[in-house]
Amino acid sequence: MLKIDLQVLAFLIMSKFRLALIQLAVSASKPDNLARAARLVKEAASKGANIVALPECFNSPYGTSYFPEYAEAIPGPSTDALVKSAKDSGVFLIGGSIPEKDGDKIYNTCTVYNPNGEMIAKHRKMHLFDIDVPGKIRFQESETLSPGNSFTVFDTPYCKVGIGICYDIRFAEMAQIYGKKGCQLLVYPGAFNMTTGPAHWELLQRARAIDNQLYIAAVSPARDEKASYVAWGHSSVVSPWGEVVATTEHEECIVYTEIDPSYVEQIRNQIPVSVQRRKDIYSVEEK
């Protein structure tokens, strides 16, 4: 009987995992950024993190003028560093994003690695950040970047994870598709600014979490007041109940939280809102 109880306990322990979001201080030096990221991934792993995520454009300053200068092929120096870091630290590593050069096009691309250092997913930002808020900010990623055209999901021993990059979080349909694909955690490396950050950063995370009853994690670069594009910071994790369960301010740091996939199912059973769970109302068949 004791043996069975221990097995059950082991399963319950393994069903939860530790997520670390690295709010990285990004400089103009790519080698420095790569070294800094590797050091912080190693630190996160030493403190028990199972999945570690870096921010958007972790290897370069964020801006349309920087993308062509810092862009590189995959594999390349930045992704080689991620391979080594994941393998050395023994974690699943969500590599934020880098400007990826592929032929005559540049993408904003996130690569994901397993603890053996093998690339298991690659997401190209689908929705480019083209906004114009009069008197506050104008930014047009499409001046230099091309959009991706595919959803990105990967499996871990803990749960299925979906990836979006920054502006992707504004599109509710994308998160809904990930939810239907079985994701219990969505991770968005992002770099909201000083206009959109205070207005929408947390609000969008909570909306996506509540709409789809899953965990949302959004990881930003640290704020650099002297940069041409100033990031909001405030890397955060939101629960399926819509609660901010971990967050920070704007300095470089690592945000840790425990993710419990079983809690996703608890919330979905308590408040059934999906088409699949409300057959009494909807008679929609999946095709």
Side-chain angles (χ1 to χ4, degrees):
M1 188 68 181
L2 179 61
K3 183 177 180 180
I4 295 176
D5 290 341
L6 288 176
Q7 288 176 339
V8 172
L9 179 61
F11 173 79
L12 292 174
I13 291 173
M14 288 302 293
S15 69
K16 299 179 182 179
F17 66 93
R18 198 170 203 206
L19 173 68
L21 308 181
I22 296 177
Q23 186 162 285
L24 185 71
V26 178
S27 73
S29 169
K30 183 185 288 189
D32 287 352
N33 295 331
L34 299 182
R36 197 179 196 93
R39 177 178 61 79
L40 292 174
V41 170
K42 185 176 182 180
E43 178 182 333
S46 72
K47 294 185 178 179
N50 307 107
I51 300 179
V52 181
L54 291 164
E56 183 179 25
C57 283
F58 85 93
N59 70 338
S60 73
Y62 182 80
T64 54
S65 63
Y66 296 107
F67 297 146
E69 177 185 355
Y70 285 79
E72 59 185 69
I74 295 176
S78 296
T79 53
D80 287 348
L82 293 175
V83 168
K84 185 177 187 304
S85 193
K87 190 173 183 179
D88 289 350
S89 298
V91 296
F92 284 89
L93 179 56
I94 300 169
S97 78
I98 66 168
E100 177 203 2
K101 186 171 181 59
D102 186 1
D104 61 352
K105 293 184 177 181
I106 300 174
Y107 299 93
N108 190 341
T109 302
C110 174
T111 52
V112 182
Y113 304 86
N114 67 18
N116 295 322
E118 300 164 329
M119 189 171 76
I120 57 174
K122 183 171 84 168
H123 180 75
R124 288 171 168 170
K125 188 174 187 177
M126 297 175 68
H127 304 92
L128 298 184
F129 182 51
D130 285 1
I131 69 166
D132 189 352
V133 182
K136 293 186 177 180
I137 183 171
R138 180 185 183 278
F139 198 96
Q140 303 289 311
E141 275 191 331
S142 62
E143 291 176 352
T144 54
L145 298 181
S146 295
N149 61 4
S150 61
F151 300 97
T152 306
V153 173
F154 66 94
D155 290 304
T156 75
Y158 319 107
C159 71
K160 186 171 289 188
V161 183
I163 298 292
I165 298 176
C166 201
Y167 204 55
D168 284 340
I169 199 173
R170 289 188 178 273
F171 295 84
E173 298 88 347
M174 184 176 180
Q176 289 166 2
I177 289 169
Y178 279 146
K180 289 180 179 179
K181 287 180 176 291
C183 295
Q184 295 173 303
L185 167 66
L186 304 185
V187 179
Y188 293 91
F192 274 42
N193 54 68
M194 299 300 290
T195 297
T196 61
H200 299 149
W201 178 247
E202 180 182 311
L203 179 63
L204 285 165
Q205 293 171 57
R206 297 185 71 188
R208 298 294 86 82
I210 293 172
D211 284 349
N212 302 287
Q213 299 176 312
L214 42 66
Y215 285 94
I216 297 288
V219 51
S220 169
R223 188 182 304 171
D224 180 358
E225 301 283 0
K226 297 178 181 178
S228 57
Y229 182 96
V230 182
W232 172 238
H234 296 266
S235 298
S236 305
V237 181
V238 179
S239 77
W241 190 252
E243 295 176 304
V244 179
V245 293
T247 191
T248 187
E249 293 296 325
H250 59 268
E251 300 88 356
E252 181 175 88
C253 70
I254 305 176
V255 177
Y256 298 95
T257 194
E258 185 178 78
I259 302 294
D260 182 0
S262 68
Y263 186 54
V264 173
E265 292 308 309
Q266 289 178 33
I267 296 303
R268 290 176 178 177
N269 287 329
Q270 291 170 9
I271 306 178
V273 296
S274 71
V275 170
Q276 292 91 334
R277 291 170 185 265
R278 294 304 305 266
K279 297 297 184 182
D280 55 325
I281 297 176
Y282 301 102
S283 58
V284 178
E285 293 185 1
E286 290 283 323
K287 293 184 179 180

